[in-house]
Amino acid sequence: MQLARLLRERVNLGPAVIAPRTSLGICTSVHRPAAAFEVRLHAADEAMYAAKQLGTH
């Protein structure tokens, strides 16, 4: 996947080169299509933090 490869690239910050880590939280509105944006954003945040706790990040 191209996005995954791009997110793993090292970043040159002059004297330092860093390897950033990225987390994404994904939430769909399939089960609650009328849910407000804030509700879906909160669900995506919860998914991201749950993945981090499992060590899949």
Side-chain angles (χ1 to χ4, degrees):
M1 174 181 277
Q2 185 178 1
L3 177 59
R5 182 182 54 77
L6 289 172
L7 293 174
R8 286 192 301 266
E9 287 187 6
R10 295 182 182 270
V11 178
N12 186 344
L13 298 176
V17 177
I18 63 168
R21 294 179 64 181
T22 304
S23 296
L24 298 174
I26 298 173
C27 175
T28 65
S29 60
V30 173
H31 301 290
R32 296 177 61 190
F37 171 77
E38 291 81 10
V39 172
R40 285 184 264 153
L41 180 61
H42 181 72
D45 282 343
E46 287 181 337
M48 178 184 64
Y49 289 115
K52 282 184 170 190
Q53 287 183 331
L54 291 173
T56 56
H57 167 39

